[in-house]
């Protein structure tokens, strides 16, 4: 068996995205993703997926060059390779990560996000070579299916008129009735039983009313609200007070570990984050201050599936819950998320996934949610197969783009509908 990497393929693509609203603006009609393939000397191909914006691509290309000749089993070596690839720090350090809404952008996070795409591809190839599923390479599954939550968004019926876009059949959701209707469709289509609403879009009272409406429509079901740090400490405490009886947790109500700690000290509602704990370096302060009770992991920017397991172990040691964050992603990443989630013993909350919003994929067969769960594949590797024709179509869309959509920019998308739109400063309310 020859596990040496003989070839690496990087395919940037643009995938259709509905007009989902958040505190920064609205999703653009197409969003960039990067599909990573590593091919062994034996001709086994492994696939991974990560962010596809220019700054990730600029890093992934020299990274890919350095992988040739290494072995797909040398997963620790990927971090060494990452250290060798230069990032233009002036472009990323201290810039707010606009599209991802996951805290401040740093060169380290950028590197780790690229590592994750290659790590998943190497694990997929290694699993195929050994005849083992990825979860087995991670120590083995402790559950046969992974539960996901319905990721509800305020959204428009369509992208602004005149903007080239794919149509979706979800309709608009800009008030409590619309949010409840969207939740019903999620339940009918996928069987989800817990619900997360992306907030920070409308004034807090309107979002409180939406969560109340969800609680009435789905009594006893776990509910979450995530305004991406749009609120002050005072507003966060008021929302926690008003919704405390129905919330499973409140996600990033306010920005920064200190402000989160202030809120946490004065409410019994658990706080979750994918914004103030996004790296290992941020854990110590947040856990010492008891600022967060649930960390939302994300294998993309934590640096892969094995780092996600390490994060879960640290959380367990501190009695902090763990669940999973999601950005727009396709089936390759959903498969990776499902494999790693299957290996985490203390996963007490349903994971987030954007996947139901993605009408397009690069797989021959879409992954399915049944009863809100994705079955853990026991097939070798990730258990997915690339549809090369679809991949080529989505890559041609990326090639045809003049650059306007190659870097996700929710504020720019919002300015098409509202030319006076500026990204709100926080706290917005
Ligand atoms: Mg979040």
């Amino acid at each position: 068996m020859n596990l040496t990497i003989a070839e690496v393929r990087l395919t940037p693509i643009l995938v259709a995205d509905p007009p989902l609203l958040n505190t920064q603006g609205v999703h653009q009609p197409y969003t960039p993703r990067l599909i990573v393939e590593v091919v062994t000397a034996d001709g086994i191909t492994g696939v991974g997926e990560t962010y596809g914006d220019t700054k990730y691509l600029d890093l992934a290309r020299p990274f890919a060059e350095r992988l040739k000749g290494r072995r797909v089993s040398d997963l620790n070596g990927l971090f060494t390779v990452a250290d060798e690839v230069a990032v233009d720090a002036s472009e990323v350090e201290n810039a707010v990560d606009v599209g991802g809404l996951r805290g401040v952008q740093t060169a380290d996070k950028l590197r780790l996000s690229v590592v994750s795409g290659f790590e998943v591809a190497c694990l997929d190839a290694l699993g195929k070579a050994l005849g083992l599923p990825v979860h087995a390479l991670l120590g083995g599954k402790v559950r046969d299916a992974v539960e996901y939550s319905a990721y509800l968004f305020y959204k428009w019926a369509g992208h602004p008129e005149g903007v080239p876009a794919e149509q979706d059949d979800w309709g608009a959701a800009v008030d409590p009735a619309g949010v409840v209707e969207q939740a019903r469709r999620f339940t009918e289509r996928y069987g989800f039983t817990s619900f997360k609403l992306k907030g920070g879009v409308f004034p807090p009272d309107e979002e409180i009313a939406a969560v109340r409406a969800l609680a009435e429509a789905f009594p006893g079901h776990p509910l979450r609200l995530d305004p991406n740090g749009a609120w002050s400490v005072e507003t966060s405490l008021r929302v926690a007070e008003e919704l405390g009886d129905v919330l499973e947790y409140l996600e990033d109500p306010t920005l920064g570990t200190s402000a989160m700690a202030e809120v946490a000290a004065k409410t019994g509602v658990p706080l979750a984050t994918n914004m103030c704990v996004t790296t290992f370096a941020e854990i110590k302060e947040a856990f010492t201050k008891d600022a967060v009770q649930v960390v939302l992991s994300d294998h993309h920017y934590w640096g892969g599936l094995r780092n996600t397991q390490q994060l879960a172990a640290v959380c367990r040691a501190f009695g902090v819950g763990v669940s999973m964050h999601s950005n727009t992603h396709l089936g390759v990443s959903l498969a990776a998320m499902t494999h790693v989630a299957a290996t985490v013993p203390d996963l007490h909350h349903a994971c987030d996934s954007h996947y139901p919003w993605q009408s397009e994929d690069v797989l021959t067969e879409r992954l399915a949610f049944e009863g809100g769960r994705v079955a853990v594949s026991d097939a070798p590797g990730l258990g997915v197969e690339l549809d090369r024709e679809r991949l080529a179509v989505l890559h041609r869309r990326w090639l045809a783009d003049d650059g306007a959509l190659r870097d996700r920019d929710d504020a720019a998308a919002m300015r098409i509908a509202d030319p006076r739109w500026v990204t709100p400063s926080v706290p917005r309310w």
Side-chain angles (χ1 to χ4, degrees):
M1 188 185 305
N2 190 341
L3 299 175
T4 305
I5 297 172
E7 188 188 350
V8 183
R9 286 193 288 267
L10 300 177
T11 313
I13 56 175
L14 283 177
V15 294
D17 215 7
L20 308 179
L21 296 155
N22 58 45
T23 201
Q24 304 266 359
V26 63
H27 287 206
Q28 290 171 304
Y30 300 100
T31 202
R33 296 296 285 174
L34 175 63
I35 300 300
V36 175
E37 292 171 86
V38 297
V39 187
T40 68
D42 282 348
I44 292 172
T45 301
V47 59
E49 173 190 345
T50 191
Y51 302 93
D53 306 65
T54 309
K55 59 191 173 200
Y56 297 96
L57 266 179
D58 286 350
L59 194 52
R61 287 189 176 117
F63 197 110
E65 284 304 315
R66 285 172 166 78
L67 281 194
K68 285 176 204 162
R70 302 182 77 98
R71 289 156 66 88
V72 290
S73 54
D74 183 14
L75 302 170
N76 291 331
L78 295 174
F79 296 92
T80 314
V81 174
D83 287 340
E84 291 167 6
V85 179
V87 177
D88 182 356
S90 65
E91 282 202 10
V92 292
E93 292 288 351
N94 300 320
V96 172
D97 180 35
V98 177
L101 295 165
R102 53 200 167 96
V104 170
Q105 183 63 267
T106 66
D108 248 5
K109 272 198 244 179
L110 209 62
R111 278 198 192 93
L112 291 174
S113 301
V114 170
V115 165
S116 73
F118 290 103
E119 189 229 36
V120 169
C122 285
L123 282 166
D124 185 35
L126 185 59
K128 285 173 178 163
L130 298 173
L132 291 171
V134 165
H135 69 74
L137 302 179
L138 299 172
K141 63 180 180 181
V142 295
R143 57 185 63 82
D144 292 321
V146 171
E147 188 181 4
Y148 288 87
S149 66
Y151 201 161
L152 311 178
F153 275 85
Y154 289 112
K155 82 178 276 291
W156 297 329
H159 287 281
E161 220 169 290
V163 174
E166 312 303 313
Q167 271 302 315
D168 71 76
D169 65 353
W170 288 91
V174 290
D175 54 23
V179 169
V180 169
E181 175 56 25
Q182 190 184 92
R184 282 198 199 289
R185 298 184 94 184
F186 263 103
T187 309
E188 286 163 15
R189 292 181 183 186
Y190 306 107
F192 295 119
T193 57
S194 57
F195 303 92
K196 161 175 168 173
L197 175 62
K198 174 61 77 181
V201 175
F202 294 112
D205 284 331
E206 293 183 38
E207 300 188 350
I208 289 170
V211 174
R212 277 274 157 227
L214 283 171
E216 271 172 41
F218 302 93
H221 287 251
L223 304 177
R224 312 150 179 186
L225 178 57
D226 173 18
N228 282 116
W231 303 335
S232 66
V233 168
E234 291 72 27
T235 302
S236 303
L237 287 169
R238 185 166 71 78
V239 176
E241 172 75 25
E242 295 206 26
L243 293 177
D245 57 324
V246 295
L247 284 181
E248 178 186 17
Y249 54 68
L250 197 51
E251 183 174 328
D252 289 308
T254 193
L255 217 53
T257 297
S258 295
M260 287 283 280
E262 236 182 299
V263 175
K266 293 180 184 161
T267 178
V269 178
L271 302 187
T273 188
N274 65 275
M275 296 182 78
C276 75
V277 179
T278 59
T279 61
F280 286 101
E282 289 167 329
I283 288 177
K284 186 177 177 182
E285 186 194 356
F287 287 12
T288 307
K289 289 182 173 171
D290 201 15
V292 298
Q293 289 70 52
V294 180
V295 173
L296 304 170
S297 66
D298 184 317
H299 77 269
H300 298 96
Y301 60 82
W302 280 89
L305 306 186
R306 294 179 322 126
N307 271 16
T308 301
Q309 289 184 302
Q310 289 179 22
L311 167 64
V314 175
C315 288
R316 187 162 73 238
F318 281 85
V320 171
V322 66
S323 186
M324 208 176 272
H325 162 262
S326 153
N327 266 152
T328 301
H329 65 86
L330 299 177
V332 177
S333 276
L334 183 62
M337 289 155 71
T338 302
H339 276 280
V340 70
T343 70
V344 173
D346 299 306
L347 192 70
H348 299 308
H349 308 277
C351 300
D352 290 340
S353 173
H354 274 67
Y355 194 59
W357 291 113
Q358 262 47 70
S359 56
E360 299 179 328
D361 204 347
V362 293
L363 300 182
T364 52
E365 204 178 318
R366 277 182 75 87
L367 272 70
F369 295 96
E370 276 178 38
R373 290 162 199 273
V374 174
V376 181
S377 169
D378 289 320
L382 289 172
V384 300
E385 198 186 325
L386 271 185
D387 181 334
R388 301 212 160 268
E389 225 164 281
R390 284 305 300 161
L391 184 65
V393 167
L394 303 186
H395 179 54
R396 281 200 291 275
R397 186 189 280 152
W398 183 88
L399 287 173
D401 182 68
D402 58 6
L405 297 170
R406 289 186 183 185
D407 296 288
R408 182 175 158 181
D409 189 340
D410 294 9
M414 183 58 101
R415 274 193 292 276
I416 293 172
D418 176 4
R420 293 161 307 165
W421 177 263
V422 283
T423 307
S425 52
V426 286
R428 189 174 175 187
W429 288 289

